[in-house]
Amino acid sequence: MIAKVSSCSVTGIEGFVVEVEVDISGGLPLFNMVGLPEISVRESKDRVRTAIKNSGYAFPMDRVVVNLAPADVKKEGTGLDLPVALAILAASGTVPPDHLKSYLFSGELSLDGDIKPVKGVLPYTLTAKEKGFKGIFIPVENADEAALVDGIEVMPVRRLSQIVDYFSGFLDLKPHQRQFTSDPGIGRPDYGMDFSEVRGQLHVKRALEIAAAGFHNVLMTGPPGSGKSMLAKRLPTILPDLSFPEAIEVAKIYSVLGMMDDKVPFSLARPFRSPHHTISDAGLVGGGSKPVPGEISLAHNGVLFLDELPEFKKNVLEVLRQPLEDGKVSIARAGMKAVYPSKFMLVAAMNPCPCGYLSDPQGKCTCPQPQIQKYRSKISGPLLDRIDIRIEVPKIPYKDLGSGSRGEASAAIRKRVDRARRMQTARFSKSGIFSNSMMQGRHLKQFCRLETDCEQILEKAVDILGFSARACHSILRTARTIADLDDTVTIKRRHMAEAIQLRNYR
Ligand SMILES: Nc1ncnc2c1ncn2[C@@H]1O[C@H](COP(=O)(O)OP(=O)(O)OP(=O)(O)O)[C@@H](O)[C@H]1O
Ligand SMILES: [Mg+2]
Ligand SMILES: [Zn+2]
């Protein structure tokens, strides 16, 4: 007898339906799986057989052939255990096969028949809804994650036998409703830090406000202890919240990696990732024989902070170029092509020279010129070109550090950032981009109206400071954001002048 049960797998972060087909026929006992199973799927054979027995059902003593379709796509993950077991139980008459048809099933089986959590439940549930399934059966631990998707029954289960009993009419199961706390559990997290703790450095804070408002990449250069890391870490506190669709996109990436937080599986806070400089290129952009997203995808819609930028391996920095341009990474492997979104804001920090004290007024720097050159050349021109804002972060005078009034609080800065963000949302509603930093030539023409003598300032900058055409575009993008923060449609002289200054360091 033949039975079919639907399940799900992912390529990249998008789910697709996997049909599990089981045929049981007479002959010598045999248990076979076809349809390009990954190693984990093959291992699942042992788990399925044992789980069925230990749940109190008979494993058929016949020829059992499992086919996973589509055959030409690699399927991964342990989530296929449960649908395979159910299809076998349906084909052997233990559970009525027709009832299973309107649901998707995903779950790993333990040897005693318990259902263990799996990765990718959010994309699975989205796929289930999109393909018109009535509901999805998933492990209890993944229930909140699945319930982010509305308009579909989320059925959490602990044991294989529960599903059999449910479809045989012996057990009543209720769809899971997400337990939202007072503020749906998706409010702003408490970062435990604030911009007001940073004394002085007003120009750096201003630059970071502009960067946050327009999603521009930033490079901060300064001596040790000047507060670069401190400032970067506080950036999330002034970033606008994610929109709901943005947050779902981020959550899908974390879901595929099994990194959804049990307590706060969903957040409107923008991701902030700060990988160590010893990271590999695969760790940073994603990859591996079984592709997984890297740090740049975990930073999607948020911030990738690379502290001590020149300490990163050169090849690692070079692989950043393409994703910085495209906002996504594609990883091709035999039998599959995974695409991971990676629209992140790059925030980098570095010292001006190996010892760090090049710009020190007391002249403490002892680095020979060639060594300084070598240190800086680790950041290639093409990478640097993609950074709209480059600023110096000098050591602050002692008097500012000790006394000095506290700076402006993050909440106040974020209000301005939020407003600039909303202007961009309206501006780019039909353009396929979402921030000023993503504007290309035609957008710049369309959206950057300049005040009359503005152009002359830019022209002068090109002549005197030697800016390239690419740098001009970069300056225009930043000027647009500065004008947005100023609530003006036309870019004025002062906006342009500030944008030039923000590009000019180094
Ligand atoms: N502007 C500031 N206001 C308040 N505290 C500061 C400021 N700058 C530095 N500090 C203090 O100095 C410490 C070191 O700063 P931070 O680690 O941010 O320096 P850095 O610029 O990243 O240095 P490095 O180049 O060595 O990484 C901070 O933890 C903070 O306590
Ligand atoms: Mg630091
Ligand atoms: Zn030095």
Side-chain angles (χ1 to χ4, degrees):
M1 191 181 158
I2 291 185
K4 269 191 208 170
V5 170
S6 303
S7 186
C8 211
S9 184
V10 286
T11 48
I13 60 163
E14 303 305 328
F16 63 91
V17 174
V18 176
E19 294 294 351
V20 179
E21 224 177 357
V22 167
D23 177 50
I24 302 183
S25 55
L28 287 177
L30 164 106
F31 182 14
N32 218 348
M33 260 198 216
V34 290
L36 256 191
E38 273 277 302
I39 294 173
S40 57
V41 178
R42 267 183 262 139
E43 284 170 353
S44 104
K45 276 198 323 196
D46 296 331
R47 289 195 298 267
V48 166
R49 187 200 300 268
T50 321
I52 287 181
K53 282 186 183 163
N54 288 340
S55 298
Y57 310 113
F59 192 89
M61 294 299 288
D62 293 297
R63 222 174 144 265
V64 178
V65 178
V66 179
N67 179 39
L68 304 175
D72 55 346
V73 189
K74 256 197 190 156
K75 303 146 204 90
E76 317 190 5
T78 47
L80 293 168
D81 287 2
L82 176 62
V84 168
L86 283 172
I88 292 172
L89 291 173
S92 59
T94 308
V95 60
D98 286 349
H99 297 169
L100 303 176
K101 284 205 177 106
S102 31
Y103 292 89
L104 275 188
F105 299 86
S106 183
E108 178 179 338
L109 288 174
S110 69
L111 298 180
D112 56 5
D114 282 356
I115 296 172
K116 297 200 289 185
V118 291
K119 297 175 182 175
V121 164
L122 180 55
Y124 296 171
T125 312
L126 288 164
T127 303
K129 180 180 177 181
E130 192 188 301
K131 297 292 177 193
F133 285 89
K134 184 172 173 215
I136 182 167
F137 279 80
I138 40 93
V140 169
E141 288 85 346
N142 298 115
D144 274 346
E145 179 183 339
L148 287 172
V149 186
D150 53 13
I152 182 156
E153 281 182 17
V154 169
M155 308 292 282
V157 271
R158 279 187 205 286
R159 278 177 299 281
L160 175 60
S161 57
Q162 282 184 312
I163 304 180
V164 176
D165 289 349
Y166 175 74
F167 285 104
S168 310
F170 302 137
L171 178 71
D172 190 24
L173 292 174
K174 294 263 177 302
H176 179 69
Q177 298 295 334
R178 216 178 128 81
Q179 299 298 313
F180 284 126
T181 45
S182 54
D183 78 326
I186 55 174
R188 287 215 135 244
D190 177 14
Y191 291 101
M193 48 186 159
D194 199 275
F195 255 66
S196 60
E197 291 150 10
V198 184
R199 308 285 159 124
Q201 306 294 29
L202 291 183
H203 75 290
V204 186
K205 291 187 189 172
R206 166 75 178 160
L208 290 179
E209 177 178 334
I210 296 165
F215 218 64
H216 301 279
N217 299 326
V218 192
L219 173 62
M220 294 184 282
T221 310
S226 57
K228 303 181 294 296
S229 303
M230 188 184 184
L231 282 152
K233 284 182 191 139
R234 280 157 182 75
L235 195 56
T237 65
I238 63 164
L239 287 172
D241 283 347
L242 292 167
S243 67
F244 191 79
E246 280 176 331
I248 288 285
E249 209 176 27
V250 171
K252 276 162 78 178
I253 300 168
Y254 284 73
S255 171
V256 165
L257 278 169
M259 284 172 68
M260 294 288 266
D261 189 326
D262 293 347
K263 291 171 213 79
V264 202
F266 188 66
S267 163
L268 294 183
R270 292 189 183 261
F272 181 87
R273 304 292 301 181
S274 76
H276 191 252
H277 57 71
T278 50
I279 194 169
S280 68
D281 53 357
L284 190 64
V285 300
S289 55
K290 201 165 122 184
V292 285
E295 285 291 336
I296 60 168
S297 296
L298 291 173
H300 179 60
N301 285 335
V303 175
L304 180 73
F305 176 42
L306 301 184
D307 208 353
E308 324 282 353
L309 189 65
E311 302 295 330
F312 284 79
K313 288 187 264 329
K314 202 162 179 174
N315 65 310
V316 171
L317 292 182
E318 286 310 292
V319 292
L320 274 182
R321 274 161 59 181
Q322 209 55 49
L324 269 174
E325 200 92 327
D326 300 344
K328 59 178 191 251
V329 255
S330 320
I331 298 163
R333 292 285 180 277
M336 71 181 340
K337 184 168 164 236
V339 178
Y340 300 113
S342 63
K343 275 188 232 126
F344 59 92
M345 173 179 165
L346 175 65
V347 177
M350 65 183 284
N351 295 134
C353 65
C355 85
Y357 294 102
L358 182 68
S359 49
D360 192 272
Q362 277 117 45
K364 276 199 270 182
C365 176
T366 50
C367 308
Q369 195 57 36
Q371 218 174 323
I372 297 175
Q373 284 291 330
K374 191 172 162 218
Y375 180 77
R376 292 195 175 193
S377 70
K378 285 205 189 152
I379 295 118
S380 71
L383 177 62
L384 202 55
D385 251 347
R386 288 168 175 80
I387 301 180
D388 290 341
I389 297 178
R390 304 109 179 248
I391 38 166
E392 188 181 10
V393 185
K395 203 177 85 181
I396 63 166
Y398 181 75
K399 64 170 175 46
D400 286 2
L401 193 56
S403 56
S405 57
R406 280 170 76 89
E408 201 177 9
S410 294
I413 305 174
R414 196 174 66 240
K415 267 204 187 120
R416 297 193 292 269
V417 170
D418 274 341
R419 203 187 50 193
R421 170 87 258 154
R422 284 196 296 274
M423 292 168 82
Q424 292 166 76
T425 307
R427 173 178 306 139
F428 300 129
S429 62
K430 294 188 185 73
S431 309
I433 60 174
F434 75 91
S435 67
N436 291 337
S437 65
M438 299 168 89
M439 286 194 289
Q440 298 299 335
R442 67 195 161 87
H443 305 121
L444 293 169
K445 273 209 188 76
Q446 191 180 350
F447 300 121
C448 296
R449 200 190 325 142
L450 304 181
E451 202 183 48
T452 35
D453 41 1
C454 230
E455 199 120 20
Q456 287 155 8
I457 301 186
L458 191 56
E459 198 181 318
K460 244 194 206 142
V462 171
D463 289 346
I464 298 170
L465 302 169
F467 283 131
S468 65
R470 198 178 214 165
C472 287
H473 282 181
S474 164
I475 290 165
L476 277 174
R477 287 194 287 264
T478 313
R480 179 67 269 164
T481 303
I482 297 171
D484 285 350
L485 282 167
D486 210 8
D487 207 7
T488 62
V489 178
T490 314
I491 296 174
K492 304 211 158 101
R493 286 175 63 110
R494 61 172 187 281
H495 306 140
M496 190 62 99
E498 189 175 4
I500 290 170
Q501 223 170 31
L502 288 171
R503 171 85 189 187
N504 194 28
Y505 184 69
R506 269 174 72 104

